[in-house]
Amino acid sequence: LRHAMRNQRLRVLVYGHSLGTGVACQTAYRESTEGRPVDGLILEAPFLSIPDAILKSPAARLLNNLYGDFVWRISDLFMSRDVIGHLANVLILFAENDEVIPVEHATTLHELCPDSSILLTKDGHHNFLIHQEEVKVAIKLHLEKLERTK
């Protein structure tokens, strides 16, 4: 990533799906704070943070009852909600009927990031959203927008 960013002619787009959206947000934020902002970010089925994503699940409640506050023992909580407002050229892709992450995660991230656009698709699920035609079109339009802004 850093090699690509040193080459001024290359554009860097970070893409993450599900748990990878936390990694993508943190990477984009870190590079931005170090003076090397990425050109764009695409988040497919993102979540606000690890605690927000799992504390409401029945399995997490069970683990918390058994082991006590296990979530806070995780080394990286991927707090995307805390950094997304500092990022630019963000596209959020989400299926309204995602069976893993509530749609409010995507809409809240969109609200927190002034320079974001969102596609909420009525079809699709948590995985394989990328195969839908409307998602492909949204990505193509996002890439064209990045091309015009460079």
Side-chain angles (χ1 to χ4, degrees):
L1 177 65
R2 291 194 172 140
H3 172 73
M5 294 179 83
R6 281 193 298 268
N7 184 340
Q8 297 295 326
R9 295 182 309 254
L10 296 178
R11 289 184 178 75
V12 177
L13 175 75
V14 179
Y15 189 107
H17 170 258
S18 193
L19 183 58
T21 65
V23 176
C25 279
Q26 293 300 320
T27 300
Y29 179 70
R30 183 191 67 231
E31 294 303 313
S32 178
T33 60
E34 293 178 4
R36 299 179 302 268
V38 300
D39 295 299
L41 178 64
I42 298 178
L43 305 174
E44 180 185 348
F47 58 94
L48 291 166
S49 70
I50 292 289
D52 291 317
I54 66 176
L55 282 178
K56 294 180 182 175
S57 76
R61 284 195 298 273
L62 174 63
L63 288 171
N64 264 345
N65 289 338
L66 292 173
Y67 302 108
D69 293 332
F70 85 98
V71 168
W72 304 110
R73 296 177 193 174
I74 298 171
S75 63
D76 196 333
L77 299 176
F78 297 118
M79 306 294 278
S80 297
R81 64 178 153 94
D82 294 346
V83 300
I84 196 159
H86 302 281
L87 304 176
N89 297 320
V90 178
L91 173 61
I92 299 169
L93 307 168
F94 205 88
E96 289 181 353
N97 56 349
D98 188 308
E99 65 280 7
V100 178
I101 301 170
V103 69
E104 291 79 22
H105 286 246
T107 56
T108 301
L109 288 171
H110 176 55
E111 291 167 5
L112 291 170
C113 184
D115 192 7
S116 69
S117 54
I118 188 169
L119 171 65
L120 297 174
T121 179
K122 300 211 181 295
D123 296 322
H125 300 279
H126 185 74
N127 292 312
F128 309 114
L129 198 58
I130 189 79
H131 299 295
Q132 294 188 0
E133 194 58 37
E134 67 182 319
V135 172
K136 292 176 185 177
V137 169
I139 291 171
K140 181 177 185 260
L141 293 173
H142 187 67
L143 294 175
E144 288 172 355
K145 173 188 161 197
L146 295 179
E147 194 66 29
R148 288 190 305 272
T149 60
K150 185 71 177 188

